[in-house]
Amino acid sequence: MTITLPPQTSSSPPGLQPQGWLRYLSFSLDHKVIGLQYMVAGFFFYLVGGALAGMIRAELVSPISDFLSREVYNEVLTLHGTVMIFLWIVPVVNGAFGNYLIPFYVGARDMAFPRLNAVAFWLIPPAGFLLIASYFIAGAAQSGWTAYPPLSLTTPAAGQVVWILSVLLLGGSSIFGGINFIATILKMRRPGLKMMQLPMYCWAMLGTSILVVLSTPVLAGTLVLLSFDIIAHTGFFNPALGGNAVVYQHLFWFYSHPAVYIMVLPAFGLVSEILPVHARKPLFGYTTMVYSILGIVFLGLIVWAHHMFTSATPPWMRLFFTIATAFIAVPTGIKFFNWLATLWGGKIALNSAMLFSCAFIVHFVFGGITGVALAQVPFDIHVHDTYFVVGHFHYVVYGGTVFVIFGSIYHWFPKFTGRMLNEDLGRFHFLITFIGFNLCFAPQHWLGLNGMPRRVAEYDPQFTLVNQISSVGALLMALSTLPFLINVFWSAFSGRVAGDNPWNALTPEWLTTSPPPVENWAGEAPLVTHPYGYGVPPGRIDLGAATGREIWSSGQ
């Protein structure tokens, strides 16, 4: 089948743009360069956020405030949450992998709006450095990443205003990226490629982008009003001036609950790409997986108030948000059982990418179960603002996204660089991360059930031993970064040459050179209508011919 590609959308002639490593420091319009720029910048901020987490856990080794002052502890806590969410997870699972993979998956040469794409990335570094610089110049914000008034109105104003400005820049970056992904997926598909033939990551990014475009402007408007309260002493949220702080919570969580799915949905998509390849089986239940993503998008927008059961929420509202939140377990459960069915009976290769992906399933299920428990009003009131919530949140967000980010790097590193990562170092990295993560966050559920509040630098001495165990886990997680960094830097220059398709995968990014050329393919883009055709009976797609282009051009 020969189909003419739509007109090329990419940008400037290759000769006018820096080549080699310099292109990663330039205002490049190539979606692959921008994707890797997102990834490197995100990982830098991951190290910053991890160092801040280390300071928090060092303080909590003993029950008294002896390492950080109470004010500095609040600043570090605020910076840690903001950096990890807005500068690490969201930019990497969306910006990095989305920019790199989506044009391949829809058969395009670039994103729909390449210049807007570059602007979206280049808003992130100044926003990040502005946030960190506030600690040294004006004193960082102390109100936590939620910035609840009246607390955010009573702490030092300069740091809080800088925090708002930084988050507004990052929100603008997310909105630009979301618009670009929606336009690319809906309008840039090559002729002949139907929506229900797209790889699952496309659907995950489409759902994520809808959430971003609908909910992020609400947060932006809310923070602008909060800044008016701080700078101009207006009374939108200030109770002393007639404002309503609970209204701020409603508006904040209208964005920040979907934000969980903005982080997790892309991870769902990435895992759905990794499991079929390394299990050599088709993705089970493709259609139900698509509708479950759409269900999560819809339900994710109507459950924000379950964070506010203790904020004078009326009984009818508690009942509605309890039921709506519990319903999210249905589409999420569909995805979980489909992943298990994909693995069932497969020829599973327990390499680093697969180990991180399987660990994600375990962690996310545990985080999901505790999430359903938190949706129940009596239980939520009992553990609200305790360490149970901290443990649940990290199982969902760290176990559900960071493990996927690492698994995805092991899976796509050969495409990024043309070289393989070292598997022994990869498995060592996984083992320490897995042990450290569970040692750190599992005991925090016990702390919360027994009444230890979160966001405190001092606590009852009866919790000392469990906090020390948790801090040892955090130390292991910090150490686990070393073999990963060594592996990446060594393999990027001296690793085994990967070839174009080391996994014999069927999705389109593997049908070009590694690393790919500027406009993705030297000739016509392949038409991939069965991205998960592993193990399909002979006569339709012959997996035995997995090294040839006939699989992708067969039109099956």
Side-chain angles (χ1 to χ4, degrees), residues 153-175:
L153 302 176
T154 56
T155 53
Q160 197 65 54
V161 171
V162 172
W163 181 88
I164 290 173
L165 179 59
S166 174
V167 174
L168 288 176
L169 289 174
L170 295 168
S173 169
S174 291
I175 293 171

Side-chain angles (χ1 to χ4, degrees), residues 70-110:
R70 295 170 182 173
E71 291 75 17
V72 173
Y73 182 85
N74 287 338
E75 291 175 351
V76 170
L77 197 70
T78 303
L79 280 176
H80 165 71
T82 309
V83 167
M84 285 301 203
I85 291 173
F86 294 112
L87 290 164
W88 157 239
I89 296 176
V90 172
V92 172
V93 294
N94 289 277
F97 291 104
N99 272 292
Y100 200 96
L101 296 175
I102 292 297
F104 282 111
Y105 285 176
V106 300
R109 303 288 185 185
D110 208 325

Side-chain angles (χ1 to χ4, degrees), residues 163-344:
W163 181 88
I164 290 173
L165 179 59
S166 174
V167 174
L168 288 176
L169 289 174
L170 295 168
S173 169
S174 291
I175 293 171
F176 293 159
I179 293 171
N180 220 344
F181 286 127
I182 292 173
T184 303
I185 294 170
L186 296 182
K187 294 297 183 182
M188 298 293 289
R189 295 192 319 280
R190 65 160 294 166
L193 182 60
K194 301 175 183 176
M195 287 294 290
M196 294 304 282
Q197 294 171 334
L198 290 172
M200 192 54 61
Y201 184 62
C202 286
W203 282 102
M205 284 303 300
L206 183 61
T208 302
S209 301
I210 292 171
L211 285 175
V212 167
V213 172
L214 291 179
S215 62
T216 307
V218 176
L219 175 67
T222 306
L223 293 181
V224 169
L225 295 180
L226 181 63
S227 69
F228 289 166
D229 278 5
I230 296 172
I231 298 171
H233 305 294
T234 55
F236 294 106
F237 307 121
N238 190 346
L241 298 176
N244 191 333
V246 176
V247 171
Y248 174 90
Q249 294 186 28
H250 278 289
L251 296 172
F252 176 83
W253 286 113
F254 183 80
Y255 163 80
S256 295
H257 185 77
V260 173
Y261 301 105
I262 290 170
M263 292 182 271
V264 169
L265 273 181
F268 287 177
L270 292 169
V271 165
S272 298
E273 302 303 331
I274 294 172
L275 294 182
V277 175
H278 299 283
R280 312 311 295 174
K281 278 190 65 185
L283 182 66
F284 186 88
Y286 176 94
T287 305
T288 57
M289 295 281 265
V290 170
Y291 287 116
S292 67
I293 287 174
L294 300 179
I296 290 171
V297 170
F298 173 71
L299 292 170
L301 286 168
I302 61 170
V303 297
W304 73 90
H306 72 233
H307 294 272
M308 302 166 55
F309 286 154
T310 60
S311 301
T313 306
W316 70 266
M317 193 179 286
R318 287 178 171 179
L319 178 63
F320 171 79
F321 283 101
T322 293
I323 295 172
T325 305
F327 262 114
I328 288 190
V330 176
T332 307
I334 289 171
K335 300 187 80 66
F336 166 69
F337 286 112
N338 282 356
W339 289 324
L340 291 187
T342 302
L343 294 174
W344 185 269

Side-chain angles (χ1 to χ4, degrees), residues 3 36 87 165 225 267 274 282 363 365 367 386 402 404 418 448 454 519:
I3 299 175
L36 294 180
L87 290 164
L165 179 59
L225 295 180
I274 294 172
H363 294 149
V365 167
T386 70
V402 178
V404 175
R454 61 174 174 168
E519 294 192 333

Side-chain angles (χ1 to χ4, degrees), residues 418-435:
R419 294 182 181 273
M420 303 293 290
L421 283 168
N422 182 282
E423 269 300 316
D424 292 335
L425 277 174
R427 292 191 180 98
F428 184 57
H429 171 216
F430 165 76
L431 183 64
I432 302 179
T433 308
F434 183 81
I435 294 173

